[in-house]
Amino acid sequence: MTPALATSTQLTPSTNCASVEKHSTMPVHETVKEQHTLTGQQQIKLPTFKQLRTQVAASTAGMLVTSLSLSPLSVVKVRVQADSLSSAGSQSSLVQVTKDIYRTGGLRAFWRGTGTGLVMAVPSSALYMTCYEASRDVISESFSDQYKFYAPMAAGFWSRVVTGTLTNPLEVVRMRQQAGSTNFGILSSLRHIVQTTGGRGLYQGL
């Protein structure tokens, strides 16, 4: 009786330890792995301040170069479109419109709206990068593996929609300044648009 009891007593702890080790180690590993996966899915990656600063600086510099070099063409184009809409079908030539712009406003008139475009470049760049970085991983997690390469394109599309919607009032002001329909600054132009056409006027052409 004593050896049997001793044998059972010696086997029981080792058997229990193996059972406890088997049943405790594997579930904990799987639980940690599952918690890590869920945590990774819930995390939203946001751009750092350094990344935002770099993006804003690059976009502002690009907008400055583009505005200085292409603004005269943009002003003439917008003025031609405005004249064609207001003159009931009769369209002025490019030469005539260019002469009218110079006669009424001088050389400075060819760079109307440049300041508004530069002001718009700062928030639009920060908004676009923030939306893109925040939505790219979230969208990627919702796609299957074979469609994950579409995630950056979908994130870019969504970010452009959000950025364009929020900055459209500044774009309306810039277009009106180029068309010569307003001589006010940004804030005065926004106030004038709201007073004359209501809040919907800020989203014309959206």
Side-chain angles (χ1 to χ4, degrees), residues 57-102:
S59 299
T60 304
M63 187 67 179
L64 179 61
V65 173
T66 303
S67 298
L68 293 178
S69 58
L70 300 179
S71 182
L73 297 177
S74 179
V75 169
V76 172
K77 182 194 71 172
V78 172
R79 192 68 62 87
V80 169
Q81 292 175 343
D83 290 346
S84 63
L85 292 175
S86 61
S87 58
S90 61
Q91 185 173 356
S92 303
S93 64
L94 293 177
V95 176
Q96 184 62 40
V97 170
T98 303
K99 289 180 178 180
D100 293 340
I101 295 174
Y102 179 75

Side-chain angles (χ1 to χ4, degrees), residues 10-169:
Q10 292 174 356
L11 292 176
T12 300
S14 61
T15 304
N16 291 339
C17 290
S19 177
V20 170
E21 182 179 0
K22 179 180 180 181
H23 291 288
S24 62
T25 304
M26 294 302 294
V28 169
H29 174 71
E30 295 296 332
T31 303
V32 171
K33 181 178 180 181
E34 182 178 359
Q35 289 178 352
H36 176 73
T37 303
L38 291 176
T39 304
Q41 291 178 352
Q42 295 176 354
Q43 288 180 346
I44 297 178
K45 183 180 178 181
L46 295 177
T48 62
F49 176 76
K50 183 178 180 180
Q51 291 175 328
L52 281 177
R53 183 180 59 186
T54 303
Q55 180 70 16
V56 169
S59 299
T60 304
M63 187 67 179
L64 179 61
V65 173
T66 303
S67 298
L68 293 178
S69 58
L70 300 179
S71 182
L73 297 177
S74 179
V75 169
V76 172
K77 182 194 71 172
V78 172
R79 192 68 62 87
V80 169
Q81 292 175 343
D83 290 346
S84 63
L85 292 175
S86 61
S87 58
S90 61
Q91 185 173 356
S92 303
S93 64
L94 293 177
V95 176
Q96 184 62 40
V97 170
T98 303
K99 289 180 178 180
D100 293 340
I101 295 174
Y102 179 75
R103 186 179 64 253
T104 57
L107 286 176
R108 293 181 59 185
F110 290 98
W111 281 270
R112 294 174 62 93
T114 302
T116 304
L118 293 176
V119 171
M120 185 174 61
V122 176
S124 63
S125 300
L127 280 172
Y128 178 83
M129 188 171 183
T130 301
C131 292
Y132 179 81
E133 292 292 339
S135 61
R136 182 184 57 189
D137 294 337
V138 176
I139 294 176
S140 178
E141 290 293 336
S142 64
F143 287 174
S144 59
D145 293 338
Q146 58 180 342
Y147 296 113
K148 283 188 181 296
F149 61 90
Y150 286 119
M153 182 175 63
F157 173 78
W158 164 250
S159 302
R160 184 60 62 189
V161 169
V162 173
T163 303
T165 302
L166 295 179
T167 60
N168 194 75

